[in-house]
Amino acid sequence: LLYHVVKPNPDPENPYQFDLQEFETHMAYLHKNGYRTLTMKQYFNILDKKAAMPKKPILLTFDDNSDDFYPYVYPILQKYGMKATQFTVSDWVDGSWNMTSEEILTVMKNGVDIQNHSVTHTFLAELSREEQFAEINDATIALKELTGRKTNVFAYPYGNYNADTISILKELDFKGAFKVGGGLSTDKSNRMELPRIMILQEHTLNDFIRMIN
């Protein structure tokens, strides 16, 4: 699953902002119905046949390290004992509408993976190969300096990428990369074009249930 901003009173004009109360109904549904949230490591171990797949596995991902995550999303994840991945734009850390370094370190210690979402959240396919390399590699360096861990999974900003992007990720030993949308991922999915189900403001609980089934 892919969420962006989750908060009380989301902007009705912004489809990527999702209502906090609705988000909690999603998490409560997953919890009540026996879904098991995965770490990114568990997810890839399952794809690689290195680990058994739980009956109802689900991967929660959030893009853009926006400042709603720590006060709103994180407590709900904690409440239901859920793991998640935060795809982090390195230049946005400590920004005016983003998570602080301290918040990132706190959530990381408590079940949230911090992974790579580029340096500046640009349209990668519009850049030269050298510029793309810097966007990905410099974020890897910055996030490792912050967290002490090397990121090895990427999410394409805007779902935008090309053959150069994929070759750079392989060169830098990334295990995989996620698109925006595209449905359910399986062990047959291209590791550099892993799909996600994007949750938008218009989606009801019934839509959510249908999508995860």
Side-chain angles (χ1 to χ4, degrees):
L1 298 176
L2 164 57
Y3 295 89
H4 287 87
V5 171
V6 179
K7 64 181 184 180
N9 308 310
D11 176 0
E13 302 297 313
N14 187 335
Y16 300 102
Q17 294 193 5
F18 198 73
D19 183 76
L20 181 65
Q21 205 169 343
E22 285 291 310
F23 174 72
E24 179 152 13
T25 67
H26 288 189
M27 298 305 106
Y29 178 87
L30 295 177
H31 183 74
K32 183 181 173 188
N33 289 278
Y35 283 86
R36 184 163 151 212
T37 53
L38 303 174
T39 64
M40 199 55 81
K41 185 176 182 182
Q42 288 170 322
Y43 172 79
F44 279 99
N45 281 344
I46 290 166
L47 293 188
D48 293 339
K49 308 284 195 289
K50 291 179 183 170
M53 185 163 70
K55 196 170 178 188
K56 291 181 170 181
I58 203 147
L59 187 73
L60 300 177
T61 71
F62 298 82
D63 282 8
D64 304 342
N65 48 300
S66 48
D67 61 7
D68 57 281
F69 188 84
Y70 187 76
Y72 302 129
V73 175
Y74 174 61
I76 290 173
L77 296 175
Q78 291 292 98
K79 177 178 175 179
Y80 294 102
M82 294 187 160
K83 303 180 179 86
T85 297
Q86 174 60 250
F87 282 106
T88 304
V89 181
S90 63
D91 260 12
W92 290 358
V93 176
D94 295 318
S96 58
W97 60 276
N98 295 91
M99 293 170 75
T100 67
S101 301
E102 196 174 320
E103 287 168 352
I104 287 171
L105 294 173
T106 301
V107 302
M108 192 183 82
K109 290 183 190 123
N110 294 283
V112 178
D113 259 325
I114 302 300
Q115 292 291 349
N116 195 325
H117 200 32
S118 81
V119 174
T120 66
H121 201 281
T122 188
F123 289 90
L124 292 171
E126 295 177 5
L127 304 181
S128 68
R129 193 181 193 281
E130 292 71 26
E131 290 167 330
Q132 288 200 51
F133 186 93
E135 275 285 335
I136 297 166
N137 191 52
D138 291 1
T140 302
I141 292 165
L143 292 171
K144 187 173 184 192
E145 281 177 5
L146 172 61
T147 66
R149 295 182 194 168
K150 189 177 180 211
T151 55
N152 61 0
V153 183
F154 193 74
Y156 300 111
Y158 309 106
N160 179 261
Y161 61 97
N162 59 17
D164 280 343
T165 329
I166 291 173
S167 77
I168 290 162
L169 291 169
K170 288 178 177 174
E171 183 184 331
L172 292 172
D173 291 327
F174 277 75
K175 288 179 74 73
F178 286 87
K179 304 188 295 183
V180 171
L184 293 169
S185 66
T186 74
D187 58 352
K188 305 288 189 293
S189 304
N190 182 329
R191 296 296 169 85
M192 292 298 164
E193 296 180 298
L194 291 163
R196 292 184 286 177
I197 296 169
M198 182 157 60
I199 306 297
L200 298 172
Q201 191 174 147
E202 69 197 43
H203 291 140
T204 65
L205 181 62
N206 284 339
D207 291 329
F208 176 76
I209 294 166
R210 175 180 54 77
M211 290 190 287
I212 62 174
N213 283 327

